[in-house]
Amino acid sequence: MIAIIAAIVVMFGLSLARVPVVFALIIGAVTGGLLAGLGLHGTLEAFNNGLGGGAKIALAYGVLGAFALALARSGLPDLLAYKLIRILKGDADTKSQNKVKYIIFATIALAAVSSQNLIPVHIAFIPVLIPPLIGVFNHLNLDRRAVVCLLTFGLCATYMLIPVGFGAIFLNDILAQNINTFGKPYGFSVSNEQIPHAMLIPVSGMFVGLLIALFISYRKPRYYQDIEIEDKTQSISDEMATTEQHQAPQIAKFTLFMAAFAVIATLAVQLYSDSMILAGLVGVAILSCAGIFKWREADDVIIAGMRMMALVGFIMIAAQGFASVIEATNQVPALVEASVHWIGNSKALAAFLMLLIGLLITLGIGSSFSTVPILAIIYVPLCIQFGFSPMATIAIIGTAAALGDAGSPASDSTLGPTSGLNMDGQHDHMKDSVIPTFLHFNIPLLIFGWIAAMVL
């Protein structure tokens, strides 16, 4: 079983050393295959055979990226952001600060949640919405770490619980598919309907962490300098005095109607067909036929949108290849037996260790989506051996994969908020994004994920 351990250690170590994750997965897989005696040819053959398992997920990500960019061309996200910014800036001087602060919290939370399903633009809304609000944050002496926690909660908790948009990809196409694939030899399977119920307890832990962040950890005022961000935002006084510089985006009513129709149609098609690929294609087709972008620009829009999600897609494909090599070593049963012998009969200790290892691996990779195939191949037989129920198995693997996503320096869930809040150079990525989200989300996830494993 040394081959599996070596493959994971090499992959994890290279990821932490900032080697591109795709390369780390390939090198880790080759290391494991060679140590298992597969030879270079056998290792590469096993790796190539597994690549097809990630193709559907990568294509879904690419189509979703194309739809997101096409939707951005309509101006709908910009108009929504402009309206919210105007409301918040208009209220900042005339109403109580607490009221405006809670309106800001609700607005950011709603935007983050919607970015994963209703308007699936992922983190692309952050540079549109957040920089113009920095002047309001400074005026209210609002701790930006609280804003980071709100953004990260909306980005992560949503796909962990709601099977729509990115949630459909994570819960159905990745989590359920991998559990069923690696559980098939044991006659073990789960249904898509079970997954949101199993993930409810771990997500509740994230919600508790969010409340602690907003009302305890970062409740006190934090003072920032008023530094003007060129072409992005202004101070409150400048905004109130010269509104001409911030005119509303001029968008035709027909364009807005078709953009809204595309969003509704995409959501309906996905719920009906359970296919994010088909739903994204329908959305792009509607926007194209409506003239949101010119036909000769279609290739550029779609290619640029797919490029936006390409890295995640390639990581997904490489992760499936990595898992295929691990399976080809035939050392998983030996690793499971050794783990059971070392842990003993303690389900509690087994659940904790699986979650902790998931935390470490996800911190290195930076993507919970890409971690599932790596964990599932070992965790599914391990959960079966310890007698965990299907619901508990979902909670363990789902939480183990999501652990670390919020607290990883390489995760979109921390990089996105930092890019928006550091426009004036007063928000540090590690101190103000990574550490706060790690403390308030990963630790509660570890605790509540363990509880879920014990009670489900």
Side-chain angles (χ1 to χ4, degrees):
M1 64 182 182
I2 189 66
I4 297 177
I5 297 174
I8 294 176
V9 168
V10 168
M11 178 273 298
F12 176 64
L14 291 175
S15 297
L16 285 181
R18 313 307 305 146
V19 172
V21 177
V22 173
F23 292 163
L25 287 166
I26 295 172
I27 295 170
V30 171
T31 301
L34 292 177
L35 289 176
L38 296 178
L40 182 61
H41 178 74
T43 300
L44 294 178
E45 184 179 3
F47 186 85
N48 292 335
N49 289 338
L51 297 181
K56 175 186 173 183
I57 302 161
L59 183 58
Y61 253 86
V63 173
L64 208 58
F67 174 65
L69 194 62
L71 188 63
R73 284 291 189 97
S74 72
L76 180 60
D78 298 83
L79 182 62
L80 291 175
Y82 174 84
K83 294 291 185 184
L84 293 172
I85 291 165
R86 293 288 294 177
I87 292 171
L88 293 173
K89 285 190 172 183
D91 286 346
D93 284 338
T94 59
K95 297 183 179 179
S96 66
Q97 290 191 354
N98 277 338
K99 180 178 179 180
V100 176
K101 182 172 73 172
Y102 293 130
I103 292 175
I104 288 176
F105 286 164
T107 299
I108 293 174
L110 181 61
V113 169
S114 300
S115 72
Q116 302 300 297
N117 41 61
L118 185 60
I119 308 178
V121 295
H122 196 37
I123 62 172
F125 77 97
I126 293 176
V128 176
L129 178 63
I130 297 302
L133 284 175
I134 287 180
V136 182
F137 298 161
N138 293 346
H139 180 75
L140 298 173
N141 298 321
L142 185 64
D143 195 326
R144 296 183 194 179
R145 292 173 294 182
V147 177
V148 168
C149 290
L150 267 172
L151 288 168
T152 302
F153 176 82
L155 294 171
C156 293
T158 305
Y159 74 70
M160 290 174 61
L161 184 64
I162 303 175
V164 180
F166 288 102
I169 296 175
F170 179 75
L171 298 177
N172 299 338
D173 296 343
I174 299 178
L175 186 56
Q177 179 180 322
N178 279 277
I179 290 177
N180 290 334
T181 298
F182 298 119
K184 187 176 181 180
Y186 306 91
F188 183 88
S189 64
V190 299
S191 65
N192 291 349
E193 292 73 22
Q194 290 178 300
I195 296 181
H197 299 288
M199 295 301 294
L200 182 59
I201 295 177
V203 172
S204 299
M206 288 193 71
F207 183 68
V208 171
L210 176 65
L211 295 179
I212 293 173
L214 296 182
F215 299 108
I216 298 177
S217 302
Y218 309 126
R219 178 179 59 87
K220 294 181 179 180
R222 193 180 189 193
Y223 301 97
Y224 299 87
Q225 296 179 357
D226 284 322
I227 300 175
E228 185 173 340
I229 304 171
E230 185 178 358
D231 296 328
K232 291 290 182 181
T233 188
Q234 292 178 297
S235 66
I236 298 294
S237 58
D238 289 341
E239 161 64 23
M240 302 303 289
T242 57
T243 56
E244 301 84 19
Q245 298 181 21
H246 288 270
Q247 297 297 325
Q250 300 299 315
I251 306 172
K253 290 184 179 180
F254 175 76
T255 300
L256 288 178
F257 172 79
M258 293 306 297
F261 176 67
V263 169
I264 296 171
T266 300
L267 186 61
V269 170
Q270 186 204 321
L271 293 175
Y272 177 76
S273 66
D274 198 27
S275 172
M276 199 62 239
I277 297 174
L278 180 60
L281 287 174
V282 169
V284 172
I286 292 173
L287 293 173
S288 177
C289 293
I292 303 300
F293 52 89
K294 297 178 181 179
W295 183 251
R296 62 175 179 269
E297 298 175 345
D299 278 349
D300 293 336
V301 171
I302 293 172
I303 291 172
M306 288 187 169
R307 188 184 297 122
M308 183 171 62
M309 297 293 187
L311 177 59
V312 179
F314 278 117
I315 293 174
M316 301 285 186
I317 293 173
Q320 292 287 348
F322 181 93
S324 180
V325 173
I326 297 299
E327 186 176 21
T329 63
N330 294 319
Q331 294 186 7
V332 173
L335 180 61
V336 171
E337 290 179 10
S339 301
V340 172
H341 177 74
W342 181 73
I343 295 173
N345 296 321
S346 175
K347 291 177 66 175
L349 179 59
F352 176 76
L353 289 176
M354 283 190 279
L355 291 170
L356 184 61
I357 292 170
L359 168 63
L360 296 176
I361 292 176
T362 314
L363 279 176
I365 294 177
S367 170
S368 57
F369 287 64
S370 308
T371 308
V372 173
I374 299 169
L375 298 179
I377 188 172
I378 300 173
Y379 282 16
V380 169
L382 199 57
C383 287
I384 294 171
Q385 189 74 22
F386 276 101
F388 286 105
S389 68
M391 294 278 281
T393 302
I394 293 169
I396 290 173
I397 298 176
T399 306
L403 266 167
D405 192 6
S408 172
S411 170
D412 285 349
S413 302
T414 56
L415 289 170
T418 297
S419 67
L421 290 165
N422 194 39
M423 295 298 292
D424 61 354
Q426 299 186 79
H427 185 88
D428 183 78
H429 181 57
M430 291 301 299
K431 293 181 181 178
D432 297 327
S433 289
V434 175
I435 293 176
T437 53
F438 182 92
L439 294 175
H440 292 90
F441 295 138
N442 291 334
I443 293 176
L445 267 175
L446 191 63
I447 296 171
F448 280 72
W450 181 86
I451 293 174
M454 293 293 99
V455 302
L456 292 176

